[in-house]
Amino acid sequence: MLHPTIFFISWLVADLVIWIIRWFLLQKFIVSGESRSHYATDLALLFGLIWAVEIGIGTAGCIISVDPVLQVLACTSAVSMNGAIAMRNQGIPRYAFTQILLTDIPMKLATLFQPAPLLRILILQAPMYLTGLWVLLNQLNTNLIKAYIAEFESIHSATHDKLTGALNRLGIVNIVAATLDSTEAQSVETSILYLDLDGFKKINDENGHATGDRVLVSFSNMITGMLRKSDAVARMGGDEFIVFMPDTNEASASLIAERIIEKLRVYTAQNKAYAGLGVSIGIATNTSLTTESLDQLISRADFAMYAAKSAGKNCYKFG
C-alpha cells in the first residue's frame, strides 16, 4: 500500500503462491491412504527453504526502500519469524538454522545499499545474533530428545518387568488390545501359555536370590528367542510367566510347550547348580478373544498349569 511497485507487488504474489503450495502440501501430508503423496514431506521442506529466501529478499527490499515504517516492520517481523522458526523446528536444528540464515543474511547485506550508516550496525550484530540462535536451537533440540527419552522410559517402565525385561500384566494387556485392533485378529484362534518354574524355590533358597534372578532372566530370554515377532512374553510375578500367541491353535501351542520343556531340560543339564529345575505349562485357547475375556483365558491357562503340576510337573495340560 505504501509502495505499490513491481517489486512489492511481486513479493506479495510470491508470498501468496508459496503459502497456498505449503498449505496444499500439508493437506497431502496429513491424509492417509492412497491419496497421500510420497514426496509431500520432501516438498514441504523444500518450500520451507524457498519461503525463507522469499522473506529474506522481501525484507532486504524494505530496508533498501529507505521508508522507516517498512524498515521497522520488516526487521521486527523477520526477527520474530526467526524465533518462531527456532521453536517450530527444534527437532531439526540444522534445517531451522538454514532457514534463519536465508531470512537474515539478505536483511543484513541490504544495509550496505541504503544511505543510513547506523543501520549497518545490524551487520556487526550478526555473528552474536546467529551464534545465539544456533546455541538456542541445539539446546531446544537437546531438551526435546531428553523429553522423548524420558517419555519412552516411563512407558517402558510401566509396561515391562524390571528384572527380566519381559512385559508385565499391563504390558500384555496393551499388546492384546493392539493386536485386536485388527478385525482379522478377532476371529482367529489365540493361545495363552501359563508357565511356572518347578524347583525354583529350592534353587533360590540354596544358591541365593542373585542366582534365582539369573535363572529368571535366562528363562525369559530363552522363551523370547523361541517365539515369533507377533507373540509376547510377560512375567506375572515370582517365577510365573505367560506367553500370548495370536493366530495359534492347540497343535501349534503344544509344540511350543514341548520345545520350552526340552530347551529348559538341556539348560539345566548344562548347569548342574540348576538341577531339578523344570516347568509346568497350562494352555488355553480362544477363537474370539477380547480384552475383556483375556482374564478368563489367563485364568483357564492358570488352572491348566496346576493340572500339569498335579500330573507330575515338567509337562503341559490344556484348560
Side-chain angles (χ1 to χ4, degrees):
M1 291 174 64
L2 289 175
H3 297 275
T5 61
I6 293 177
F7 175 82
F8 286 114
I9 292 173
S10 300
W11 185 26
L12 174 62
V13 172
D15 194 67
L16 289 173
V17 170
I18 293 172
W19 186 91
I20 292 171
I21 292 174
R22 295 184 75 192
W23 179 86
F24 175 77
L25 290 172
L26 176 62
Q27 302 309 307
K28 297 296 289 184
F29 176 76
I30 62 178
V31 298
S32 57
E34 297 180 358
S35 60
R36 180 171 182 174
S37 171
H38 293 293
Y39 303 102
T41 304
D42 297 330
L43 290 173
L45 291 171
L46 173 62
F47 274 90
L49 296 177
I50 293 173
W51 167 81
V53 171
E54 171 251 316
I55 292 297
I57 292 174
T59 304
C62 290
I63 291 177
I64 294 172
S65 72
V66 196
D67 186 318
V69 174
L70 290 187
Q71 289 176 337
V72 171
L73 289 176
C75 289
T76 54
S77 295
V79 171
S80 299
M81 288 180 189
N82 286 342
I85 288 171
M87 294 303 298
R88 176 183 175 87
N89 298 310
Q90 53 189 288
I92 42 176
R94 286 187 292 254
Y95 175 82
F97 193 69
T98 302
Q99 281 190 304
I100 291 171
L101 289 176
L102 293 175
T103 61
D104 192 65
I105 290 177
M107 177 180 70
K108 300 294 195 296
L109 293 178
T111 62
L112 299 173
F113 301 96
Q114 54 78 44
L118 283 178
L119 280 181
R120 296 185 178 92
I121 292 176
L122 292 176
I123 297 178
L124 298 177
Q125 291 177 335
M128 293 177 288
Y129 173 71
L130 294 175
T131 300
L133 283 175
W134 176 251
V135 172
L136 173 65
L137 276 167
N138 281 277
Q139 187 60 51
L140 289 171
N141 182 253
T142 299
N143 292 341
L144 182 67
I145 292 172
K146 288 180 179 178
Y148 277 129
I149 292 175
E151 181 183 9
F152 172 79
E153 290 177 344
S154 176
I155 294 173
H156 188 274
S157 177
T159 57
H160 287 72
D161 175 57
K162 292 182 180 180
L163 174 63
T164 63
L167 296 167
N168 57 21
R169 188 175 189 86
L170 175 61
I172 199 69
V173 170
N174 290 345
I175 290 292
V176 172
T179 303
L180 295 180
D181 282 342
S182 170
T183 305
E184 295 80 6
Q186 297 178 16
S187 58
V188 299
E189 195 165 11
T190 300
S191 295
I192 289 283
L193 278 65
Y194 204 111
L195 302 86
D196 184 84
L197 287 171
D198 301 319
F200 174 77
K201 186 177 184 302
K202 180 181 178 182
I203 292 174
N204 203 35
D205 292 342
E206 292 180 354
N207 299 282
H209 291 292
T211 300
D213 288 347
R214 286 195 295 271
V215 170
L216 293 174
V217 172
S218 298
F219 184 64
S220 176
N221 294 336
M222 181 192 308
I223 302 170
T224 303
M226 298 169 61
L227 301 176
R228 306 165 299 181
K229 289 184 177 180
S230 58
D231 301 333
V233 178
R235 182 186 178 204
M236 302 301 282
D239 57 350
E240 295 183 346
F241 295 80
I242 66 170
V243 177
F244 170 67
M245 303 179 68
D247 195 16
T248 303
N249 56 26
E250 289 188 355
S252 298
S254 62
L255 288 175
I256 292 296
E258 290 171 359
R259 288 180 59 192
I260 292 173
I261 293 170
E262 176 60 21
K263 189 86 170 180
L264 185 59
R265 185 192 65 77
V266 173
Y267 175 77
T268 54
Q270 295 172 349
N271 298 271
K272 299 302 181 182
Y274 304 152
L277 187 67
V279 59
S280 295
I281 304 175
I283 305 173
T285 60
N286 194 320
T287 55
S288 57
L289 183 64
T290 64
T291 51
E292 289 77 18
S293 64
L294 177 63
D295 285 338
Q296 297 177 0
L297 190 62
I298 292 176
S299 180
R300 284 203 286 128
D302 187 19
F303 279 115
M305 180 270 294
Y306 281 106
K309 283 187 175 293
S310 299
K313 301 181 180 180
N314 212 33
C315 63
Y316 66 89
K317 293 291 181 180
F318 284 94

